[in-house]
Structures are given as structure tokens and as C-alpha cells.
Amino acid sequence: MNTLEKINLLNFDRKAMQAFFAELGEKSFRADQVMKWIHYYGVTDFAQMTNLSKALRQQLQEKTLLAVPEIAMEQLSKDGTCKWLLRLNDGNCIETVFIPEDGRGTLCVSSQVGCALNCTFCSTAQQGFNRNLTTAEIIGQVWMAVRRLSQQNNEHDRHVTNVVMMGMGEPLLNFDNVVSAMNIMMDDFAYSLSKYRVTLSTSGVVPAMEQLAKLSEVALAVSLHAPNDTLRNELVPLNKKYPLKELLAVCKTYYGNDKKRKVTMEYVMLEGINDSKEHADQLINILHGVPAKVNLIPFNPFPNTKYKRSKQINIDKFRERLMRAGLITITRKTRGDDIDAACGQLAGQVKDLTKRSARAKLAAMEVAVEARTDLNS
Ligand code: SAH
């Protein structure tokens, strides 16, 4: 059997792993053991899985493989933020970012190569869509980060305590693989993250949000960015399909009877576009009765964009207005400045390593991955 025909066990969450072991005629606790070897201990060599029989190890060796993404580049910021460029089997590249903060470490994970949506302020959109990531490629980002961080000698904390699905792509358009990967993140035999510490961010794919509420308990973030349909249609064109009224209706009931949880509303601050007093008041209005907290994200400019980042004073005023109305509002801190400055260089250095299309997607992603953190508080 050649490598291509072998099954990558990183594609399986616990249920799928148990089903696979049942097919092999093995007891389900074998699946649990293998889960633990792969994700908890980080072992990718069957020979080291010493609590499995030799025969089973042999069988796994023949039928399956444990493939993780390859690190093409690693950049470490002075403040401890770390970015990885990961190369996938087909030559496509994705990026994963780790952001250490007081007492926590947030990993920003990608769900697709490129993006099919056309948000005007997001440069990933300009690159178009290439493909969905597999479960193995999504959880592989976590696998890789946990291992690499433990090897880094750094004064900043190196533990992944939170994951945000805020890298490249729209996670809800890769629903099954993303849900499986998040199951593994929360699995006690794997990464043991609590449901409060895994966040999925969506541009508002309403039917998939309804599905997600039924299937997963992870925290939800919504890329709101505008307080009325006219403006949101322009910034997040998906709004034409699922307008604010429908989007906010799902948010209202998203956590069911759990009154303590709130949906994070991401709001990119664009100068002269969505950052006025009136916009703040409209936002307060539409969020009335919605269990929400607001995350203001200063816009990260990219080449040929028509937008500018709002002035700090306007971001502060906007935030104060929302706070006075009783909305918990956080402004994203700028992190990893020194490696952000090197973003253009990263694309340049990648030139010889990746195909042109992958390079363009990467450059686009530089922007999208900046916009997370301050979540899972
Ligand atoms: N597609 C999902 C996941 C991406 S998360 C979503 O839309 O939620 C990345 C976050 O960064 C989203 O809120 C996105 O709208 C925001 N973002 C994209 N481009 C940005 C930019 N140039 N500056 C600041 N935030 C940006």
C-alpha cells in the first residue's frame, strides 16, 4: 500500500477513531490509546506506542500514517508572538499564529486555503478560494504548535490555552472538518481545551451557525463590522444572503439557556466608514437584547486597499460610547509588531519555496491572521 492510499489518523476525532478501530476488529479503548499517543504525547511513530500489541502496531503501520504539516518558516517576535508558515502536501501554504498574553496563549488556526467570500476589507478575499483543509491539516496546526512551542526557549509562556478559528478561510464553509478538529481540541485524550477556550469566528453563515449550535459547544465570534444592512452588504457581501436580522436572531438564541455566555462581535475599525458616533449608536441599538460583547479590531492595511485604520482617538471614543451603553467592549492589542513589519519580507522569502498562487494567498493571510485575540476571556 503506498502512502497516498494510507489513512492519516490525524483526520479522526475520537468517534471516528473508534469507528475505525471497530472496523479493524479492535476494542474502542485502543482508539483512545492511539488518540492519546498522537495528540497528548505527540508521538507519530507507531513503534513508540508501547501499550499496543506488536501485531496491531504492524497493522497500523501498513494501513495508516501519521502526517503533520511541515514547517516552511517560523518567525518569532520580541513579544513572544510566533508565526509559522506551513506547507501542505499539495504545495499550498497556510499560516498559524501563537499569541502569548498574561496567563494564556492563543493559537490562531486556518480552516481553508484562501476564502470564497468577498469581504472588501480582507485581503484573503482578493486571492480567491483554493480548497478546504482536511481535519488532519486543521488539527495538525495545533499538533505542530504545541510541539514547537515546548522546544522554544522563551521568556514568554509557551502553552496553548486557547484556540481561535480565525486564520485564513471561513470555517463554517468547511463545517465537518472544522467540527471534527475542534472536537479533538476539546478531547481529554488530546488537548483538553474547554469549550470556553475554543472560538469559531464566522462571517455569518446563518444555517451553518444553527447547525453548529446543535453540534458543538465552542464559543462563537461573528464578524459583524457594520451596524446596518446597507454598509454590511458592502463590507461583508454574504450579508445580502443572510442579513443582519437573521444573523442577530441566531446570535440571540445561540447559547440557549446558558445565560452566562456571550457571542463576540468582531468590528474592524475603518476610518470614515463605520467608526462614527452614529455607527456606535446603531450598533448599540441592533445589539439590544443580544447576549454580546464587542471586539474592536483596528484595521490592518494591505497593498491596494481603499480603507484606512481609524484614528486611535476615534476607536477610544467608539469604545467608550458602547461601554456607557453597557456593552462589554475590548480593543484588540497590536501584537508581534516586529514580525508584522516583516510581513512583506515573509512573502518575499517564500518566493523560492512555494508556488506563485500560494505566495499570493499567504500575503493575503498575513492580514487576516492579525485580527484575533482578546477573545475567550
Ligand atoms: N472568515 C471568518 C474567519 C476569519 S477571522 C470570519 O470572517 O469570521 C479573521 C477576522 O479578521 C475576521 O473578523 C475578519 O473580518 C477580520 N479581518 C479581515 N481582514 C482584516 C483586516 N484587514 N484588518 C482587520 N481585521 C480583518
Side-chain angles (χ1 to χ4, degrees):
M1 197 178 256
N2 70 33
T3 309
L4 284 174
E5 289 162 344
K6 287 187 176 181
I7 295 162
N8 187 359
L9 291 183
L10 265 87
N11 273 312
F12 294 154
D13 64 7
R14 188 105 71 90
K15 248 178 145 176
M17 190 78 89
Q18 285 169 347
F20 177 74
F21 275 76
E23 256 176 56
L24 293 181
E26 293 285 340
K27 298 240 166 60
S28 85
F29 76 92
R30 293 289 175 209
D32 303 350
Q33 289 175 318
V34 171
M35 257 340 253
K36 197 162 179 178
W37 278 117
I38 301 171
H39 296 288
Y40 183 84
Y41 293 115
V43 165
T44 51
D45 176 5
F46 293 115
Q48 289 178 36
M49 302 185 180
T50 45
N51 56 1
L52 308 181
S53 70
K54 271 208 170 130
L56 178 56
R57 279 186 260 164
Q58 184 64 34
Q59 206 181 2
L60 292 175
Q61 183 76 45
E62 278 162 19
K63 295 189 174 147
T64 71
L65 79 172
L66 297 168
V68 293
E70 178 196 336
I71 299 176
M73 193 181 297
E74 178 178 270
Q75 280 187 296
L76 191 56
S77 153
K78 282 202 283 277
D79 69 12
T81 300
C82 189
K83 289 190 189 193
W84 294 275
L85 172 69
L86 301 179
R87 194 184 297 110
L88 310 174
N89 272 343
D90 62 357
N92 272 311
C93 282
I94 51 165
E95 215 177 48
T96 309
V97 181
F98 174 73
I99 312 118
E101 290 167 283
D102 293 339
R104 69 176 175 195
T106 304
L107 191 71
C108 179
V109 167
S110 295
S111 58
Q112 299 181 314
V113 182
C115 189
L117 304 177
N118 255 321
C119 303
T120 48
F121 57 89
C122 179
S123 67
T124 306
Q126 302 182 345
Q127 317 306 316
F129 173 70
N130 186 298
R131 67 171 175 89
N132 278 336
L133 295 183
T134 62
T135 299
E137 288 165 339
I138 300 167
I139 201 64
Q141 297 170 62
V142 182
W143 189 98
M144 175 282 309
V146 168
R147 265 84 237 172
R148 270 305 294 154
L149 289 168
S150 70
Q151 293 160 2
Q152 282 174 356
N153 197 359
N154 198 283
E155 67 196 276
H156 302 276
D157 204 2
R158 305 272 90 187
H159 290 287
V160 175
T161 61
N162 298 55
V163 172
V164 292
M165 296 303 304
M166 295 192 187
M168 191 183 243
E170 168 49 56
L172 291 185
L173 294 180
N174 183 13
F175 192 90
D176 293 343
N177 294 346
V178 165
V179 168
S180 294
M182 295 191 307
N183 287 343
I184 303 172
M185 293 170 201
M186 294 187 285
D187 194 317
D188 284 342
F189 285 95
Y191 303 96
S192 304
L193 297 179
S194 87
K195 62 184 181 185
Y196 304 107
R197 288 167 176 268
V198 176
T199 301
L200 181 142
S201 176
T202 180
S203 51
V205 189
V206 168
M209 289 166 74
E210 285 163 352
Q211 266 314 96
L212 188 70
K214 289 185 200 136
L215 286 174
S216 180
E217 292 192 300
V218 297
L220 182 73
V222 170
S223 293
L224 197 63
H225 305 315
N228 61 65
D229 281 321
T230 314
L231 184 55
R232 196 162 190 272
N233 285 345
E234 187 189 316
L235 299 179
V236 185
L238 185 70
N239 193 69
K240 292 178 204 151
K241 201 162 178 189
Y242 307 115
L244 281 170
K245 199 170 164 212
E246 287 176 36
L247 178 60
L248 295 170
V250 195
C251 294
K252 222 170 185 167
T253 56
Y254 191 81
Y255 290 120
N257 290 328
D258 192 342
K259 301 284 175 238
K260 288 194 292 271
R261 301 188 83 182
K262 292 185 193 312
V263 177
T264 299
M265 299 294 174
E266 297 164 274
Y267 195 97
V268 62
M269 295 300 288
L270 304 166
E271 189 180 63
I273 302 286
N274 66 354
D275 63 349
S276 72
K277 204 167 88 180
E278 290 70 31
H279 291 121
D281 288 341
Q282 283 177 20
L283 188 57
I284 292 164
N285 234 325
I286 62 167
L287 291 182
H288 189 75
V290 181
K293 54 185 174 183
V294 179
N295 190 197
L296 300 179
I297 311 172
F299 173 64
N300 291 303
F302 51 88
N304 300 323
T305 177
K306 57 180 175 181
Y307 300 113
K308 281 200 198 119
R309 178 184 290 188
S310 301
K311 294 198 175 65
Q312 189 57 46
I313 180 146
N314 291 333
I315 299 178
D316 293 345
K317 279 188 189 157
F318 198 93
R319 176 168 175 267
E320 275 158 32
R321 215 169 167 83
L322 300 186
M323 295 279 276
R324 271 205 306 275
L327 273 169
I328 301 168
T329 308
I330 294 164
T331 307
R332 182 182 75 79
K333 280 176 247 141
T334 306
R335 296 294 305 270
D337 285 23
D338 48 345
I339 55 174
D340 285 355
C343 282
Q345 293 161 2
L346 175 64
Q349 288 169 28
V350 169
K351 192 171 173 180
D352 300 323
L353 298 172
T354 59
K355 291 182 194 138
R356 193 180 170 277
S357 60
R359 222 166 66 225
K361 279 170 196 129
L362 246 181
M365 190 180 168
E366 291 294 336
V367 174
V369 292
E370 304 304 326
R372 26 63 294 222
T373 181
D374 291 327
L375 288 166
N376 313 93
S377 49

